[in-house]
Amino acid sequence: MDDRASRHRLAAEDLEAILGVTTALAQPFDLTTMLAEVVNAAKQVLKADRGSVWLYDAGRNELVLEVATGASAIRVPATAGLVGACAQSRAIINVPDCYADARFDPRVDRESGYRTRCMLTLPLIDHRGALVGVMQVLNKAGGVFDAGDEMLAAALAAQCAVALQRVRMTEALIEGERMRQELEMAREVQMSTLPSQMPAVPGYDVFGVSRPAEQTGGDTFDLMPTEGGLVVVLGDATGHGIAPALSVTQMQAMLRMAFRLGADLPTAFRHVNDQLAATLADDRFVTAFIGVLDPLTHRFEFHSGGQGPILHLSAATGACTSHPPTSFPLGAMPLAKLRPSVTLDMRPGDVALLITDGVYEYHDPDGEAYGEGRVEAIARGHGARPMAELAARILADVEAFARGAPQQDDVTLVLVARAPATAVGRFARRVDVLPALFAFTAAFFADHEVDAALLSPVDFAIEELFTNMVKYGRPGGDEVELALARIAGGVDVALTDYDVEPFDPTRAPDADVTLPIEQRSPGGLGIHLTRRLVEGLDYRYIPERREARITFRKTGDPTRRGGA
Amino acid sequence: MLTIESGGDGIVVVRGRLDAAQAAHAQGFLDKVSGTVTLDVAGLEYISSAGLGVLLKTQKRLLGGAGKLRLAGVSPHLRDIFVYSGFDQLFEIEPAR
């Protein structure tokens, strides 16, 4: 202790002064206050009349002097004058008589009327050895700066450097946090514009969902009932950060206003495009599907600015048609000419799938994209299910496909399904109602254009299951309900028997069809054949309601035939 | 509906739908035939397992009397049913022309 104290020759009062300013230096969190504190500390400890701090801008290799508020900072190369020499040498420069030193620039004195006698210039170096800036103190009270002052200044400079560096890092952190908060806020605004609940459209099931990526992305969707029908919007703005969130929010607001004012589709599309072209930055645009669904005529007319593919699943054929966009992305440039819109003819059970590239271009760890084919396959298999379920299935499949690969872009789906064609009939539990039953199925096939070749196997299965219910159900009891629904490429059948004991005919064993004729009997052939003629034969019993329901499907797809 | 009638030359013509509701009617007609009988099913739109039961019972009876039941004019759908039920092994089947 003694040795160190003597070597530094710091008086106890000097140490106290440094400790005092160290406390003051611990307080400020902004650079302006901190600079003032550092200058004050230097003046106080070194008994100097004036002081200033130049900050080092490593990026430009310049020294920067912040001056009074309102004026722009003074910048000098980090090699010029006394401060430059100090920054270069990283050593204290003690000039007892400035006017005798060639490096001194007397112009400042002439302008301010102040007379600089002596000057101490010292580097501010932080604990990691990096140059933070250069401090200058002028005119020691009652003399010039001596070797003791230099020692004191060095001790003080280390404190000041660390304090300044702390403030600079804090400011950088605050700036980062501010950016993050702004981004979060913009995302919140973007998400808050999404419909909170799905509109009820008679005869339709519409569902939208958007899963934002963590940092970037600008997806939106809208489902807005208007007098002209349901306005359906799916948008995806380019870019990263806050801008895309703002772009799509802007577009959505414009579209809502346009349709509220009664604009038709081409007018709304054209004007929103031109307005976005005028207001968005040159490198920004929004890909957007804008459609109007008329639930009375079942026409779903759309324009798409760069948003595609637009998938249309036909329930009747099971085919998925992929439509390209009708135009370039919105806001890219004003529209000189608009190509005609496209109209989807929504037949019973049809599904329109509007999905952003966050799904199609989701990459697995091997770099393979999810693609259109996978979406189509799920749509074909589950297009008759509620749209919320179909969306969940697609999202789950994307997640499984990704095998943990992070979501890089917003993922948004809007699914629009026309209710499948259905018919429900009730039939007395007697065999002589079979003609009425067959008339019912024949009428349904004709009304909904189901392939006539499927009628016989469907009738066969219905007859077998129905006569089973007649044989084993409660005689004279309730009627049996037959419900038919049009599905992709065929028909879905449900037979419901009420107030019965559980009896599952679908578990009956196959008939042995290889026996010689003497041993053959017609028993068991009905279910045996039903299993082979239709698909997905399934029995459910609900004990609370004493209700037995048998369902099956029949489609023209030969690969889907159930049984052997 | 179902019609079943004799067409001469040991041919019986059946038309319409042979379902559980019509099985008894068809059985009543076929119980009266004998020898080798060709059943023309070209006009048969539909057959259920009840109808198959009628054919099986008739075949067993005719085979016992050294006769048999042949099926002519079998449509693809009926053929599916005969194959799935193994009836193609029990009957001579002549496809629809």
Side-chain angles (χ1 to χ4, degrees):
Chain A
M1 231 8 184
D2 285 345
D3 184 45
R4 197 176 149 198
S6 67
R7 198 173 67 229
H8 284 242
R9 282 178 298 183
L10 285 179
E13 59 186 83
D14 295 333
L15 276 173
E16 268 173 33
I18 289 182
L19 283 174
V21 302
T22 305
T23 312
L25 292 175
Q27 304 297 332
F29 281 95
D30 68 286
L31 197 57
T32 311
T33 312
M34 180 56 90
L35 287 171
E37 282 295 342
V38 166
V39 169
N40 275 339
K43 278 162 65 181
Q44 190 184 329
V45 171
L46 299 168
K47 299 177 181 67
D49 188 39
R50 288 192 176 187
S52 55
V53 173
W54 297 73
L55 289 174
Y56 180 56
D57 180 345
R60 295 162 69 165
N61 197 31
E62 286 177 348
L63 288 162
V64 186
L65 180 65
E66 297 287 345
V67 290
T69 323
S72 55
I74 298 167
R75 287 182 165 269
V76 298
T79 49
L82 274 166
V83 285
C86 176
Q88 295 291 303
S89 66
R90 295 179 162 219
I92 291 177
I93 302 173
N94 188 354
V95 182
D97 181 2
C98 290
Y99 282 84
D101 195 299
R103 294 168 297 185
F104 178 71
D105 185 352
R107 278 180 299 181
V108 181
D109 273 7
R110 280 205 293 275
E111 278 170 27
S112 64
Y114 184 80
R115 177 153 179 101
T116 305
R117 289 185 289 108
C118 59
M119 183 192 289
L120 201 57
T121 307
L122 51 142
L124 301 175
I125 299 183
D126 73 8
H127 57 285
R128 287 176 309 187
L131 182 72
V132 176
V134 174
M135 180 159 73
Q136 287 186 312
V137 284
L138 320 176
N139 294 2
K140 165 143 182 165
V144 295
F145 299 107
D146 59 17
D149 291 323
E150 285 181 32
M151 209 57 78
L152 199 54
L156 178 70
Q159 298 294 326
C160 290
V162 170
L164 275 172
Q165 189 63 349
R166 174 177 63 80
V167 168
R168 281 179 139 186
M169 286 167 69
T170 308
E171 289 207 331
L173 275 175
I174 290 171
E175 177 66 9
E177 174 64 13
R178 195 176 57 80
M179 288 288 290
R180 199 187 60 76
Q181 282 182 0
E182 280 182 9
L183 189 62
E184 211 165 81
M185 204 181 295
R187 296 294 258 165
E188 264 175 41
V189 169
Q190 179 191 354
M191 289 299 144
S192 73
T193 61
L194 301 181
S196 54
Q197 57 185 34
M198 301 307 139
V201 181
Y204 281 85
D205 177 7
V206 289
F207 184 80
V209 61
S210 188
R211 280 194 186 167
E214 205 156 281
Q215 278 296 313
T216 61
D219 279 11
T220 191
F221 73 92
D222 204 359
L223 296 163
M224 180 178 47
T226 69
E227 274 184 24
L230 180 75
V231 174
V232 180
V233 178
L234 177 78
D236 180 2
T238 52
H240 298 275
I242 300 166
L246 299 178
S247 303
V248 290
T249 307
Q250 195 181 355
M251 178 194 74
Q252 203 201 30
M254 286 182 193
L255 281 169
R256 284 192 174 192
M257 185 54 80
F259 284 107
R260 183 170 282 194
L261 291 173
D264 63 8
L265 178 66
T267 309
F269 188 84
R270 173 188 290 277
H271 282 283
V272 169
N273 175 76
D274 291 359
Q275 187 59 49
L276 283 172
T279 52
L280 289 184
D282 282 348
D283 60 343
R284 302 216 168 275
F285 54 82
V286 184
T287 66
F289 169 99
I290 302 164
V292 180
L293 170 71
D294 182 342
L296 297 178
T297 62
H298 307 294
R299 289 165 55 83
F300 192 10
E301 182 191 7
F302 73 84
H303 267 297
S304 177
Q307 178 65 46
I310 295 135
L311 301 181
H312 178 198
L313 173 73
S314 161
T317 64
C320 220
T321 310
S322 175
H323 295 272
T326 60
S327 178
F328 54 73
L330 273 85
M333 63 179 78
L335 264 167
K337 208 170 87 184
L338 183 57
R339 273 192 281 170
S341 61
V342 173
T343 299
L344 305 179
D345 181 18
M346 296 293 284
R347 312 296 300 270
D350 280 10
V351 183
L353 300 103
L354 319 170
I355 299 174
T356 55
D357 57 8
V359 167
Y360 296 120
E361 285 167 25
Y362 207 121
H363 283 77
D364 73 2
D366 302 329
E368 193 193 341
Y370 186 72
E372 203 176 314
R374 291 186 170 82
V375 172
E376 289 185 10
I378 298 174
R380 275 199 201 92
H382 306 281
R385 304 298 306 159
M387 288 302 104
E389 182 188 321
L390 181 60
R393 280 182 185 275
I394 293 172
L395 289 173
D397 194 59
V398 170
E399 204 173 316
F401 170 83
R403 286 182 283 129
Q407 182 185 339
Q408 303 284 2
D409 196 1
D410 287 359
V411 159
T412 306
L413 296 87
V414 176
L415 308 177
V416 177
R418 184 172 167 192
T422 55
V424 178
R426 283 170 172 270
F427 299 89
R429 209 191 262 124
R430 296 196 312 266
V431 172
D432 61 10
V433 304
L434 280 175
L437 242 160
F438 296 142
F440 181 78
T441 55
F444 182 86
F445 271 57
D447 288 352
H448 302 294
E449 294 170 13
V450 184
D451 183 357
L454 308 180
L455 182 59
S456 285
V458 166
D459 277 352
F460 185 97
I462 290 173
E463 176 179 337
E464 300 303 337
L465 298 167
F466 180 79
T467 52
N468 254 315
M469 289 172 171
V470 172
K471 277 186 216 164
Y472 303 110
R474 219 160 44 104
D478 286 308
E479 295 167 316
V480 172
E481 182 186 284
L482 172 64
L484 303 176
R486 185 75 163 93
I487 58 167
V491 64
D492 187 87
V493 180
L495 274 159
T496 310
D497 203 0
Y498 297 95
D499 198 17
V500 287
E501 297 296 323
F503 170 71
D504 183 357
T506 65
R507 296 175 68 150
D510 271 351
D512 185 348
V513 299
T514 62
L515 292 174
I517 187 159
E518 314 82 63
Q519 295 170 36
R520 291 294 305 265
S521 81
L525 260 187
I527 285 297
H528 175 98
L529 286 166
T530 297
R531 244 184 232 122
R532 283 156 181 79
L533 293 172
V534 300
E535 306 135 33
L537 188 63
D538 183 53
Y539 173 88
R540 293 277 160 85
Y541 185 75
I542 303 159
E544 307 86 66
R545 300 205 296 268
R546 293 177 47 77
E547 192 178 299
R549 174 170 297 176
I550 301 178
T551 53
F552 64 87
R553 297 184 304 280
K554 182 64 189 173
T555 66
D557 184 350
T559 63
R560 289 200 193 164
R561 180 167 289 166
Chain B
M1 289 310 290
L2 181 88
T3 61
I4 184 162
E5 57 198 6
S6 178
D9 296 333
I11 294 177
V12 172
V13 180
V14 60
R15 291 194 185 85
R17 304 175 68 90
L18 182 43
D19 56 38
Q22 303 295 329
H25 171 54
Q27 191 70 67
F29 184 92
L30 289 173
D31 280 350
K32 285 176 254 162
V33 301
S34 58
T36 293
V37 177
T38 299
L39 188 64
D40 180 350
V41 295
L44 187 66
E45 298 161 22
Y46 174 84
I47 191 166
S48 71
S49 70
L52 294 176
V54 171
L55 300 186
L56 180 64
K57 189 180 172 194
T58 306
Q59 181 73 318
K60 282 182 175 176
R61 185 179 62 79
L62 292 177
L63 286 171
K68 62 183 172 187
L69 187 63
R70 300 172 63 242
L71 302 175
V74 176
S75 71
H77 168 65
L78 288 185
R79 192 181 161 73
D80 273 355
I81 287 185
F82 289 144
V83 170
Y84 292 144
S85 57
F87 274 33
D88 59 333
Q89 310 296 312
L90 309 180
F91 295 86
E92 280 178 39
I93 289 174
E94 189 185 303
R97 271 162 295 180

